[in-house]
Every structure is written in structure tokens, then in C-alpha cells.
Amino acid sequence: MVIAPMDSVDLAPVTSLQQDGWSDIRVAFSRYVEEPFSYPIKVDMDNQLAGVGATIIHGDVAWLGHIIVSPEYRGKGLGKLITETLVNIAKEYNCQTIYLLATALGAPVYEKVGFVTETEYMIFTDINFPQETLETSHIQPYKEDFRQGISKLDQETSAENRLFYLEKFLKDALVYLEENEIEGYYIPTLENGPIIAKTERAGLALTKLHLRNHHQLIFPKENRCLLHFLSTYGYVANSSCKRMRFGELKPTKMAFIYNRIAGYLG
């Protein structure tokens, strides 16, 4: 068995680990290989790819993503080994808090490493929202003047410094303004289309805009406003996943999340 960093030559074999219902993992690992703040690893056994995973560093916070073990090698402790290796990478960079989102299959493995469940993300799919007229007078396209306001709101929500990741997509962002104050933002071109808002009016307005062209939302159970909104249209969660934490508890505001960025960024 060999555990090693992944590089570009490993991208073709990684497709053998593609999971049903997941977006193309080769795209994700291509990004991990290129990004200076991401650290993907692989496990080779019997001259074939047995498992993969990645650590993504955000200052003193890390996320673990795409921890996958080939079905033929499950039950041999590889999931735990990959997770421990990724945690150690995060510790090398002095990360005080490490997050991941866990499936039902993965959660027991992560608990053995020391992760605890912090909350649940509710997964709504096949949403067909009525194409009603939206009040968009408060929604403005991105301007450079909005950069710091978006960063401040994002840090208040996530307790992470993610601007270095968001800024590549800010040109496509939309913000909800009330008396020149940013109450929410939406970035439709970034992964799942993150929606962060500190007021219900901003969150619902941006969510309705998102649902014009998309049919899925994933958000923490603490967002009672969005749960109630969806229930009034007869929607219930199709499934859920656990947001798990290793290390220091951060002062996050889960109710501000109306749609997550992605499974490896919360």
C-alpha cells in the first residue's frame, strides 16, 4: 500500500471512483491538483487506485473533501487511514478546526477519527418553483465597492476567510442591498451557487432568483426561514448529510446559509 500526493497523471484513474449522484470528481480533483491551498492524496494497492481524498486549507480552518474508497477495498480501514492522513496535513498547517460533510456510510468512520456532528444539511432536489414576478429592485450586480462587504458577511457566517476562493467568481455575484448595506450575496457561477444572507428578505429574494434556473438547495437545518418557505410549496427534504467537526468550535451563523458552496466548502 502506498499513500502519496496526487498529481495530474492521476486524474484519469480517479474516474473509476466516481460516485452515483456526485458531480464529476475528475473536475474536482483537477482543481485540487492546481490550487496551492488544496492537498489531494491517493492510496494505491495492488497497482491500482484504492482511495482518494483532499484537504483544503482556509487559514486556520480546513475542509476535507471527496474521501472515497473503491468498493473492493472497503472494510479494510482505508477510509479511516485516508481521513487521518488528511487531518495530519491540516495540522501541519496549524488548522484549529477541520470540517467535512458526511454521508451515512462515512459518518461512523469519521467518528472513529474524532469528528463530532455539528449540524445537518438538508438536501432538496427537483424543486420546480413557480415562475412568479420577482421584486429585484434591491438586487444589484457586483461592483468592486461590494468586495469587502461580501467578505465581511461571508466571514460572519462561516468564521472562515474564504475571500481568496470567492474572489475568482465575484464578477458574477449579485448582492441584495438595503440602504447601501449588503444583506446578502449570491454567486451563481460558483459550484452549487452559494447564497448567504443575514436577513430573511435578502435570503428569500436571492433564493427565488436561484430557483429560476436551478432545482436544488442544500442548507443547514438552522435555517428555519427557508425550511418554512419550501414547506409552504409542499416540498420536503429528499435527504440530509452531517456537517462534522474536528477541533475548535467556531462562532458560525448557520441560519445565514440559504445554499452551500459545495460539499468540500460548506
Side-chain angles (χ1 to χ4, degrees):
M1 179 173 62
V2 178
I3 303 175
M6 285 185 65
D7 56 36
S8 57
V9 299
D10 300 307
L11 295 177
V14 82
T15 57
S16 66
L17 300 178
Q18 180 68 45
Q19 304 292 291
D20 291 340
W22 289 27
S23 57
D24 188 347
I25 63 172
R26 183 172 176 175
V27 173
F29 277 96
S30 295
R31 186 167 56 249
Y32 293 150
V33 167
E34 295 172 359
E35 291 171 342
F37 49 84
S38 297
Y39 301 88
I41 65 168
K42 63 176 181 175
V43 179
D44 289 326
M45 293 185 69
D46 305 321
N47 294 316
Q48 61 180 322
L49 187 63
V52 293
T55 300
I56 303 97
I57 306 292
H58 299 164
D60 67 346
V61 173
W63 278 84
L64 309 188
H66 288 93
I67 299 172
I68 309 171
V69 175
S70 175
E72 63 187 288
Y73 290 104
R74 289 175 185 166
K76 301 179 184 296
L78 283 189
K80 183 172 181 285
L81 178 61
I82 291 171
T83 305
E84 289 173 336
T85 302
L86 296 175
V87 166
N88 287 335
I89 291 172
K91 288 180 176 179
E92 289 175 7
Y93 286 87
N94 299 313
C95 293
Q96 304 300 310
T97 304
I98 305 169
Y99 294 115
L100 56 76
L101 294 184
T103 62
L105 182 66
V109 175
Y110 307 136
E111 288 172 352
K112 291 177 182 178
V113 177
F115 281 83
V116 296
T117 298
E118 196 170 71
T119 187
E120 281 188 284
Y121 276 56
M122 314 308 293
I123 302 172
F124 287 76
T125 59
D126 302 318
I127 301 172
N128 291 295
F129 188 72
Q131 296 297 306
E132 61 184 43
T133 301
L134 300 181
E135 170 53 57
T136 59
S137 61
H138 291 277
I139 299 175
Q140 302 293 323
Y142 177 76
K143 296 189 296 187
E144 185 60 25
D145 292 347
F146 297 155
R147 185 174 184 272
Q148 289 306 314
I150 290 174
S151 177
K152 180 181 177 182
L153 176 57
D154 191 73
Q155 287 193 52
E156 182 182 359
T157 302
S158 67
E160 302 173 47
N161 181 7
R162 305 190 296 191
L163 183 60
F164 71 96
Y165 187 79
L166 299 179
E167 60 187 355
K168 294 182 291 184
F169 304 91
L170 287 181
K171 61 181 176 59
D172 303 314
L174 298 165
V175 302
Y176 187 100
L177 290 177
E178 181 66 36
E179 297 182 354
N180 294 318
E181 181 180 355
I182 294 176
E183 292 190 355
Y185 77 80
Y186 169 41
I187 308 180
T189 55
L190 173 56
E191 298 289 349
N192 298 146
I195 302 169
I196 305 293
K198 63 182 179 180
T199 65
E200 293 183 359
R201 62 189 175 193
L204 291 179
L206 294 170
T207 297
K208 290 176 182 179
L209 189 61
H210 172 77
L211 292 176
R212 279 184 166 180
N213 299 303
H214 303 278
H215 305 283
Q216 176 176 281
L217 291 169
I218 303 176
F219 57 92
K221 65 181 182 181
E222 286 83 357
N223 193 330
R224 300 295 183 186
C225 168
L226 189 49
L227 282 170
H228 176 72
F229 170 77
L230 292 170
S231 70
T232 61
Y233 288 91
Y235 291 105
V236 296
N238 300 84
S239 60
S240 65
C241 61
K242 293 182 177 182
R243 173 179 164 129
M244 304 186 76
R245 185 191 79 251
F246 182 103
E248 181 181 304
L249 178 66
K250 293 286 188 179
T252 56
K253 294 186 177 178
M254 293 289 99
F256 287 8
I257 300 175
Y258 284 73
N259 199 33
R260 71 174 189 184
I261 295 179
Y264 51 90
L265 287 173

